[in-house]
């Protein structure tokens, strides 16, 4: 009741107790739930029949190093059938309100995902195409059918599509990206990665995609500094006319350029994000033909 409190008599086993719902709910974030979600219920895992605060708690416990590899597993999230109310300990079918004491077990509740969360500031919404709940507000995201995931509307007409872009592990920390709870960013090349992992790469001066090696930010100022560095570092006479073949990671073109110990510059896009190859395109084709014969 608004302006007062509701006393609910509940049954826990054979004992009876009186619960002041409002005073209990006002104990603050973290009183019910876990480090992943604030919620008013626990779950019974359909795979191992054990009780956990949430699916992430289950997955972390069941995939720990001390668990035998053959026994490690993730919870089948959509197969959840039973939940336990945190207030009265009543086990019941999945529903938003406790069948015994009537408490709301999650201000946000998705019957499709069997998902509860009291923190609605995340603006949770269910995406039928993804098949899971996302955060950030449905009005701020769109589902890309080719990439197979939801992206910010800012990227709707500008991102490069990559087939099932988030249905793989982060190339840095190896956590599965599709249902991660951490923030994700889409690089200009279209590959996805944790935002924090990108920041960690930048702290170590890594500015290329760990999947395809393309530069993911404007490197023109860095290339200019390399120009000056190369001009100030003449090669010994025996190397001044040495030519090598390179492949540009940014534009994908091959070039034959003067060898330099500092860096090798792409003749087409002027990028230094290149790698030296043994032979040029024609030689490579000939070598493949020889191998086939």
């Amino acid at each position: 009741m608004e302006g007062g409190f509701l006393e609910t008599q509940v049954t826990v086993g054979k004992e009876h107790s009186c619960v002041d719902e409002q005073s209990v709910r006002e104990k603050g974030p973290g009183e019910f739930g876990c480090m992943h979600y604030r919620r008013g219920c626990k779950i019974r895992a359909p795979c191992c029949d054990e009780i956990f605060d949430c699916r992430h708690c289950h997955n972390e416990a069941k995939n720990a190093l001390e668990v035998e590899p053959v026994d490690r597993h993730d919870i089948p999230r959509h197969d959840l059938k039973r939940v336990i109310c945190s207030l009265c300990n009543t086990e019941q079918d999945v529903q938003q309100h406790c069948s015994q004491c009537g408490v709301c077990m999650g201000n946000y509740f998705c019957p499709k995902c069997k998902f509860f969360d009291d923190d609605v500031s995340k603006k949770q919404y269910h995406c039928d195409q993804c098949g899971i709940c996302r955060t950030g507000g449905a009005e701020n995201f769109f589902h890309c059918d080719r990439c197979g995931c939801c992206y910010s509307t800012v990227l709707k007409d500008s991102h490069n599509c990559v087939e099932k872009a988030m249905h793989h592990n982060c190339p840095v920390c190896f956590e599965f990206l599709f249902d991660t709870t951490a923030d994700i960013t889409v690089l200009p090349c279209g590959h996805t990665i944790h935002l924090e992992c990108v920041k960690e790469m930048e702290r170590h001066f890594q500015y290329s995609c760990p999947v395809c090696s393309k530069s993911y930010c404007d490197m023109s100022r860095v290339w200019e500094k390399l120009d000056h560095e190369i001009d100030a570092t003449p090669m010994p006479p025996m190397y001044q006319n040495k030519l090598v073949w390179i492949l540009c990671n940014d534009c994908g073109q091959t070039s034959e350029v003067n060898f330099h110990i500092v860096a090798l510059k792409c003749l087409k896009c002027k990028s230094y994000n290149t790698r030296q190859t043994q032979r040029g395109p024609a030689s490579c084709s000939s070598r493949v033909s020889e191998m086939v014969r």
Side-chain angles (χ1 to χ4, degrees), residues 80-92:
L80 181 67
K81 296 292 190 298
R82 304 286 287 176
V83 296
I84 298 92
C85 176
S86 297
L87 269 73
C88 67
N89 286 328
T90 300
E91 184 168 344
Q92 58 204 277

Side-chain angles (χ1 to χ4, degrees), residues 120-261:
V120 293
S121 65
K122 300 174 185 177
K123 297 183 178 179
Q124 301 93 328
Y125 68 96
H126 181 85
C127 174
D128 285 326
Q129 292 94 328
C130 286
I132 60 175
C133 289
R134 300 289 191 190
T135 60
E139 70 279 4
N140 299 318
F141 291 86
F142 74 100
H143 183 88
C144 177
D145 291 328
R146 183 179 178 188
C147 294
C149 51
C150 287
Y151 286 150
S152 169
T153 52
V154 176
L155 300 174
K156 190 167 187 178
D157 300 316
S158 59
H159 78 285
N160 289 318
C161 284
V162 173
E163 194 77 21
K164 295 188 178 298
M166 287 205 300
H167 294 258
H168 61 81
N169 296 335
C170 173
V172 174
C173 69
F174 301 109
E175 180 186 357
F176 191 58
L177 289 173
F178 184 70
D179 56 2
T180 181
T181 57
D183 292 332
I184 294 174
T185 186
V186 184
L187 301 180
C189 56
H191 293 117
T192 52
I193 185 174
H194 283 130
L195 180 60
E196 187 55 39
C197 290
V198 173
K199 294 179 180 178
E200 183 66 21
M201 288 172 55
E202 292 175 349
R203 285 192 283 269
H204 290 82
F205 308 104
Q206 298 293 324
Y207 302 103
S208 60
C209 172
V211 178
C212 65
S213 297
K214 291 183 182 292
S215 302
Y216 61 78
C217 56
D218 183 8
M219 299 292 289
S220 56
R221 293 180 63 185
V222 177
W223 303 158
E224 289 177 7
K225 290 182 178 180
L226 283 174
D227 284 337
H228 297 318
E229 184 71 19
I230 289 174
D231 291 340
T233 313
M235 294 294 291
M238 64 181 296
Y239 289 108
Q240 286 181 357
N241 296 318
K242 179 178 175 60
L243 296 175
V244 294
W245 282 98
I246 62 169
L247 171 66
C248 179
N249 293 323
D250 287 338
C251 71
Q253 295 297 309
T254 55
S255 308
E256 191 176 25
V257 300
N258 287 321
F259 173 77
H260 200 284
I261 192 64

